[in-house]
Amino acid sequence: MSIFLVQEHFQHQHQVHLESIQTLAALTIEQLHLPLQAQQAKQVLQGLKTQPSITQAQIYDTQGQLISAYTATVGTSFPDLSISVANNSLINWKEQSNFITLTVPVYGKQTNPQAWLQLQLDLSSLKQGTLAYLGFVSLILLAALIFPLLINRLLCRRLNTPLLNLNQELQKILLEKNYNLRIPVADEIAGTTTVVNEVDQLVFACNQLLDKIQKTEIHVNQALSEASLAAKTKSRFLSTMSHEIRTPINGVLGMTELLLETSLNKQQKQLAKTVQQSGQSLLSILDNILDLARLEAGRLELNITEFKLDDLTASIAELHATTAQQKGLGFYILLADNLPEVLLGDIARLRQILSHLISNAIKFTDAGFIFIRVNLFKEEKERMLVAFEIEDSGIGISTHALKELFQAFSQGDSSFNRKYGGTGLGLALSRQLAEKMDGKIGAQSNYQQHKGTTFWFTAWLGKHPSRSVPPYQEHLTLAYKRILLVDTDRYQQQVLQQYLTCWDMAVDIAESNEQALEKLQQASDKTTYDVLLLQHQAEDGELNPLVQNIRKKMEWASLKIILLLEAGQLLPPSGFKAVQGWLHRPIQRQAFYRCLCHVLEEGEGQDEDTEFAHLSLKNIKLFQANVLLAEDNPVNQRVTTIMLNALGCEVDIVHNGLEAIETLEKRMTIGQVPYDLVFMDCQMPEVDGLEATRRIRIWQKALGKKVKIPIIALTAHAMNGDREQCLAVGMDDYLSKPFTKKALYQILKKWLKPATGINHDGE
C-alpha cells in the first residue's frame, strides 16, 4: 500500500518538475532577441540564479557552438549538443542520474531554429522529498496497523479474561468430575460492565447446567446402585435356585440310574426311564433359564480351549442316540475329512447348541432319521468357519413360523406347543450363543411336502498351532485292506463308506446275510476280506447267525468281525469270543478308527465307553480307593455312595466342611493312610466346602506334606465363575450336579490308579 502511494506521489512531482522546466524554458526564450549577442544571452541566463533547481543553462547557435552559459556549480563541464543539433530534434529530453536535461529550439520569427537553449534540472530534491514522503506514509500505515492491534489486545484482555477463567473452571470440574463445584462470578472491570454482565449470565447458565448435571448424577448413581443390587439379588437368587433345584434333581436322576441297573420287569423299566427323561428335561429347562439370564446380564463368557471334534460328536451321540432309537429314528453323524483333529473354541457351548437343535429335530420327527453333518465352510490364517447341519425327516416348518423361530418363548405354531411341549427357550439361546461365536443360525424346511427341516449354524473356531491338519493321515495299518460292510441302512452305509474310502480301504457292501455269505465264498486268496462290518440283527442275548456260520468255517478263521450295535445295546455274552470288536450307533469316526486298528493288531484299544459299559455290566470293580465324601444332603449321600461303591471305592461320609477337616486331621495324626480322594460339596452348614478346602490346603502346607490329596468339588452350583472359584481355593477338579455314574467314573479315572488287572485305556 505504501509503495503504491509513494509511486503515485513521485510520478506526480516528476510531472510537476517537467512542466516547471518547460515553462521556465519558454520564459527564457521570450527574453532573447535575435540575432543573439553573447552579452545579451549572458544577462538572460544570469536571471536563472533565482531558480535553485536549475543547475546549468546554455545557449548554442545552429552550428552547435556555445554562445553563452550559466552554471550554479563552477567547473562543471557541459554536455555536447552536436548530436541533438545534427538530428535536428525539436525538443529533446534526457534524464541522467539525478538530472533532467531539456534542449529546445529558439525560432524568433523564422520557421527554422536560430539557436538552441539547454536547461538542466536537479532532481535530488524531488527524490529526497519522495523518501521523506515514503517514511511518512510508512509511519502512518504502521501506526494504523499497530493501533488496532493495541486496541484489540486491550479489548481481548478485558473480554477474554472472564471467559478463560470460565473455561478453566469448567475444565477443572470435568477433569475432577466433581459436579458439586460452582463457577465464581467475574469481577467487574471498569468500562466493561456490559461485557461482565454478559459473562455473568453465561456463568449463571453454566452453574444452572451443573445443578441439573448434579441432580442427574445423583439419580443415575441411585439407579445404578439399585440396578447393581437387583443384579446381585438376581444372581444370588439364580445361584440359590440352581443349587436348590439341582440337589433334588441329582437325587432323582442318580437314584433312577441306579434303579435301571437293577433287575426290573419291562413295565418297571419303562416307568423308571420316564422318570429319568423327565428329570433330564427339567434340568435342561433350568440350564436354559440360567444361560439366558447370563446372556442378558452380559456375564456369559466363552471358555476357549482346545478340543477334538470327535469328542464333541461322541458326547452328542451319547446324549441323544438312545432317545432317537426309542422313537425308531435313524441317527447319523458325518464329519468332513478336511476338518482338523483339534480346534480352539468353547466345546460346552457348541454341544449346547447342537443339543438344542437335535432335541427339536427328535421331538418333531415321528419317523425317518436325524442326520448331523459337520463341514468346513471357510478358512483363514488362524481360524476357520465350521458349519453344523442337523437334517431331519419330520413335519417341517412353515415359512411364517421360520421367521419367528429363534425368538424366546416362540415355537412358530401354538399347536406344536400343545402337542410336543417345550418352552421355546432353546432356539433363542442357540441364536445368541452362535452370534457370540461370530456365527449365524438358521433353518430351511419344505413344509408343503412334509420333507423335514434342516437346521444349521456356523461358528468361528481357532486353529491349533501344531495340530491343524486333518486327523488319521497316517493310516498305513488300514490302507488297502478289504472291508465287507453288511448293513441295510443306506445312510449308515454312506457314513461308513466315506470314512473307509478316506483311509484308502477297499469297501464292498452287502445288504443281507445271504449276500454277505455269497461275497465271502466268491473271494479268492488274493481278494479275501480282512474285516467284516456286520449290522447286529438278532434277538436279545443272541448273536447274529452270520457270525456263527463264519466261525464254523476254517477258511474264514482269520476274518476279523466288528459288530455294529444299536445305541445302548450290549454285546451278547457269546460274542466276546466270536468277534474282535464292536461299535454303537451312531458310528463315531474316532471310535471307528481305533476299533479298526485294534482288530488289525495295531491296537489303539476298544471303544472306551463300550468297555466301561461292559465292565459295569459284569460288576467289575474298576478302582480300589478310599474316598471321603463331604455332603449334607442324605439323598445325595446315598446316590454318590452307591455309585462309588459300584466303581470299587470305599466311602466315608461327613456332613459338613468342619467334619471333613477334623476327619482328615485325625487320620493324619494317628498315622492312618490318608484318603485317596475327597469329594467336597460347596454349600454345607457350619463350614462350607470352599472354606474347608482353604483350611485343608493351609494345614497341609504347614505340615510340609508332599502328597496332595485331590479334592473334587461336587456341587449343585452351576453359575458363571463357580468352577474358577472352586479351583482358586485349592480344589483340583469340578463335577456339577446332577451327575451320572459315567461322569463320576471319568473323574476317578483322571485322579486315581485303576484296580489291579484293569486298564482304563483299553490297550
Side-chain angles (χ1 to χ4, degrees):
M1 179 69 181
S2 60
I3 294 175
F4 174 76
L5 291 174
V6 170
Q7 186 177 9
E8 287 291 322
H9 173 76
F10 179 79
Q11 290 178 352
H12 175 70
Q13 292 299 321
H14 188 273
Q15 185 66 30
V16 169
H17 279 68
L18 291 179
E19 293 175 356
S20 174
I21 194 172
Q22 283 182 322
T23 303
L24 187 61
L27 292 174
T28 302
I29 290 173
E30 286 182 0
Q31 297 179 26
L32 293 174
H33 300 285
L34 296 177
L36 287 176
Q37 300 295 324
Q39 187 63 31
Q40 179 194 6
K42 184 177 180 180
Q43 290 177 354
V44 171
L45 293 180
Q46 288 297 321
L48 295 175
K49 291 182 179 180
T50 58
Q51 302 295 329
S53 60
I54 300 299
T55 57
Q56 293 185 73
Q58 298 92 17
I59 297 176
Y60 296 89
D61 61 16
T62 57
Q63 300 301 319
Q65 298 297 319
L66 180 65
I67 297 175
S68 181
Y70 163 77
T71 179
T73 305
V74 179
T76 302
S77 60
F78 303 129
D80 186 7
L81 294 181
S82 59
I83 297 177
S84 298
V85 173
N87 291 335
N88 198 27
S89 301
L90 296 179
I91 298 177
N92 179 267
W93 293 93
K94 186 176 181 181
E95 186 168 351
Q96 290 179 321
S97 185
N98 293 330
F99 300 94
I100 294 178
T101 301
L102 173 65
T103 303
V104 295
V106 179
Y107 291 97
K109 296 180 180 180
Q110 304 295 324
T111 58
N112 293 324
Q114 301 299 308
W116 297 89
L117 174 64
Q118 184 182 65
L119 297 178
Q120 187 180 70
L121 181 66
D122 186 3
L123 296 177
S124 58
S125 60
L126 171 63
K127 292 187 176 181
Q128 290 176 359
T130 302
L131 289 175
Y133 184 75
L134 174 63
F136 176 75
V137 169
S138 299
L139 183 63
I140 294 298
L141 291 176
L142 183 62
L145 180 65
I146 294 175
F147 183 73
L149 291 176
L150 292 175
I151 297 297
N152 181 65
R153 182 179 179 84
L154 180 61
L155 291 177
C156 286
R157 176 180 287 179
R158 294 192 175 188
L159 293 175
N160 288 350
T161 298
L163 295 176
L164 290 174
N165 292 337
L166 175 61
N167 181 63
Q168 290 176 356
E169 293 295 332
L170 287 174
Q171 291 292 336
K172 180 180 178 181
I173 293 171
L174 292 175
L175 288 174
E176 297 179 3
K177 294 184 178 180
N178 183 3
Y179 300 109
N180 294 321
L181 298 177
R182 292 296 179 269
I183 303 171
V185 177
D187 296 331
E188 184 169 335
I189 302 172
T192 58
T193 305
T194 304
V195 174
V196 172
N197 289 338
E198 294 291 337
V199 174
D200 287 347
Q201 291 179 10
L202 183 59
V203 170
F204 180 72
C206 289
N207 285 334
Q208 282 187 321
L209 180 60
L210 289 172
D211 289 339
K212 293 180 179 179
I213 293 175
Q214 185 180 17
K215 292 178 181 178
T216 303
E217 184 184 29
I218 293 173
H219 291 314
V220 169
N221 290 335
Q222 185 177 358
L224 288 174
S225 177
E226 293 175 356
S228 176
L229 179 61
K232 291 179 180 178
T233 304
K234 180 180 179 181
S235 179
R236 284 196 298 268
F237 169 75
L238 290 173
S239 178
T240 303
M241 183 184 71
S242 172
H243 182 274
E244 295 303 321
I245 295 178
R246 283 176 179 273
T247 298
I249 288 180
N250 184 60
V252 171
L253 293 179
M255 285 296 187
T256 305
E257 183 179 3
L258 295 174
L259 181 62
L260 287 169
E261 292 179 359
T262 63
S263 299
L264 300 175
N265 60 37
K266 189 173 182 180
Q267 183 181 13
Q268 291 170 334
K269 185 170 289 188
Q270 176 112 22
L271 293 173
K273 285 184 177 180
T274 302
V275 173
Q276 188 180 48
Q277 291 171 359
S278 299
Q280 290 171 346
S281 297
L282 179 60
L283 181 62
S284 176
I285 293 172
L286 174 64
D287 288 337
N288 289 343
I289 293 173
L290 294 177
D291 284 337
L292 275 175
R294 293 189 191 107
L295 282 167
E296 289 176 357
R299 297 178 58 194
L300 193 147
E301 299 294 335
L302 297 178
N303 181 27
I304 306 300
T305 59
E306 60 180 63
F307 70 93
K308 292 183 178 180
L309 279 173
D310 293 280
D311 293 340
L312 173 62
T313 55
S315 62
I316 289 299
E318 181 183 352
L319 287 171
H320 301 284
T322 303
T323 307
Q325 182 197 348
Q326 290 171 352
K327 292 188 69 174
L329 303 176
F331 193 82
Y332 314 98
I333 300 175
L334 179 60
L335 297 175
D337 55 15
N338 60 345
L339 284 167
E341 179 182 12
V342 179
L343 289 168
L344 303 178
D346 192 332
I347 186 174
R349 297 307 174 188
L350 290 171
R351 185 189 300 116
Q352 190 172 4
I353 299 174
L354 283 169
S355 293
H356 288 317
L357 300 181
I358 294 170
S359 295
N360 269 347
I362 294 174
K363 182 191 299 183
F364 297 109
T365 303
D366 295 325
F369 64 90
I370 309 294
F371 205 131
I372 302 157
R373 297 179 179 87
V374 185
N375 295 295
L376 176 59
F377 188 77
K378 186 179 180 181
E379 185 172 5
E380 295 181 355
K381 184 178 180 180
E382 296 182 351
R383 62 176 189 167
M384 54 181 53
L385 186 63
V386 180
F388 300 83
E389 291 184 4
I390 298 90
E391 179 186 2
D392 65 58
S393 58
I395 58 178
I397 304 173
S398 67
T399 304
H400 173 72
L402 283 173
K403 297 178 181 179
E404 302 178 353
L405 198 58
F406 296 98
Q407 303 298 321
F409 306 104
S410 174
Q411 286 191 327
D413 190 333
S414 59
S415 63
F416 291 170
N417 192 25
R418 292 191 297 270
K419 181 177 179 180
Y420 296 100
T423 62
L425 288 176
L427 294 180
L429 179 60
S430 297
R431 176 181 60 82
Q432 295 190 53
L433 290 175
E435 291 173 352
K436 198 165 185 66
M437 289 184 277
D438 297 328
K440 297 180 180 179
I441 193 169
Q444 298 172 339
S445 181
N446 195 335
Y447 182 68
Q448 299 296 332
Q449 299 181 16
H450 298 285
K451 290 187 177 181
T453 304
T454 299
F455 281 88
W456 59 267
F457 76 95
T458 58
W460 281 101
L461 303 175
K463 293 182 179 179
H464 192 279
S466 59
R467 304 173 70 180
S468 59
V469 297
Y472 317 121
Q473 294 294 300
E474 299 179 0
H475 45 262
L476 298 179
T477 304
L478 308 183
Y480 311 116
K481 300 293 185 181
R482 297 199 67 204
I483 299 284
L484 178 58
L485 172 60
V486 185
D487 201 324
T488 59
D489 190 331
R490 63 185 179 91
Y491 292 111
Q492 191 64 66
Q493 290 177 11
Q494 176 187 343
V495 172
L496 296 179
Q497 192 167 12
Q498 179 166 327
Y499 288 152
L500 293 170
T501 304
C502 179
W503 299 330
D504 294 328
M505 301 185 79
V507 187
D508 283 341
I509 297 176
E511 296 189 354
S512 67
N513 288 354
E514 292 75 15
Q515 189 178 357
L517 275 173
E518 183 179 344
K519 286 182 177 290
L520 287 170
Q521 290 168 353
Q522 291 174 353
S524 63
D525 292 338
K526 293 183 179 180
T527 60
T528 185
Y529 294 102
D530 298 289
V531 178
L532 174 67
L533 289 175
L534 178 60
Q535 181 182 15
H536 183 56
Q537 293 178 331
E539 298 293 333
D540 291 342
E542 295 184 6
L543 197 60
N544 191 307
L546 180 58
V547 178
Q548 300 174 12
N549 292 334
I550 290 173
R551 289 309 176 215
K552 292 176 182 178
K553 303 286 186 178
M554 291 299 296
E555 62 268 28
W556 295 332
S558 62
L559 181 64
K560 310 297 184 182
I561 300 177
I562 299 176
L563 283 185
L564 306 179
L565 307 174
E566 296 297 334
Q569 186 180 17
L570 296 178
L571 184 68
S574 58
F576 284 96
K577 293 183 179 181
V579 302
Q580 283 68 48
W582 59 90
L583 294 165
H584 284 99
R585 294 172 182 263
I587 305 302
Q588 300 298 302
R589 181 178 62 175
Q590 179 175 262
F592 189 26
Y593 181 83
R594 294 179 62 188
C595 186
L596 285 171
C597 291
H598 174 71
V599 301
L600 291 171
E601 299 181 348
E602 288 290 333
E604 291 191 29
Q606 179 60 45
D607 180 18
E608 179 183 286
D609 295 340
T610 307
E611 287 283 8
F612 170 70
H614 283 283
L615 290 172
S616 299
L617 180 67
K618 293 188 286 185
N619 293 320
I620 295 176
K621 303 298 183 182
L622 303 178
F623 302 94
Q624 292 173 342
N626 292 319
V627 174
L628 177 64
L629 173 63
E631 170 65 66
D632 63 318
N633 185 279
V635 176
N636 286 331
Q637 287 176 0
R638 183 165 177 77
V639 169
T640 309
T641 300
I642 294 174
M643 288 184 177
L644 288 171
N645 288 339
L647 293 171
C649 298
E650 296 294 331
V651 183
D652 289 341
I653 299 174
V654 293
H655 300 84
N656 55 60
L658 183 60
E659 291 183 10
I661 297 171
E662 293 173 348
T663 301
L664 286 172
E665 289 180 348
K666 182 178 179 181
R667 289 180 71 94
M668 296 296 292
T669 303
I670 64 177
Q672 284 185 319
V673 178
Y675 291 101
D676 299 294
L677 187 140
V678 177
F679 281 109
M680 185 79 71
D681 186 20
C682 289
Q683 187 169 319
M684 294 184 292
E686 295 194 46
V687 176
D688 62 32
L690 299 175
E691 178 61 26
T693 302
R694 188 182 294 108
R695 293 186 191 179
I696 291 170
R697 294 308 185 206
I698 294 173
W699 170 70
Q700 280 187 312
K701 186 176 181 180
L703 292 178
K705 299 296 181 183
K706 296 182 179 180
V707 179
K708 181 181 177 182
I709 302 174
I711 300 178
I712 312 300
L714 190 66
T715 176
H717 287 287
M719 292 298 289
N720 190 36
D722 289 338
R723 178 185 179 87
E724 290 73 16
Q725 187 179 12
C726 293
L727 298 179
V729 299
M731 292 183 175
D732 299 283
D733 215 331
Y734 179 96
L735 183 60
S736 176
K737 299 176 185 177
F739 53 86
T740 63
K741 185 178 176 182
K742 182 184 174 184
L744 197 59
Y745 161 76
Q746 295 289 353
I747 287 289
L748 295 177
K749 177 187 171 183
K750 183 177 179 180
W751 294 101
L752 298 178
K753 295 180 180 179
T756 304
I758 299 297
N759 188 344
H760 295 304
D761 293 328
E763 297 178 353

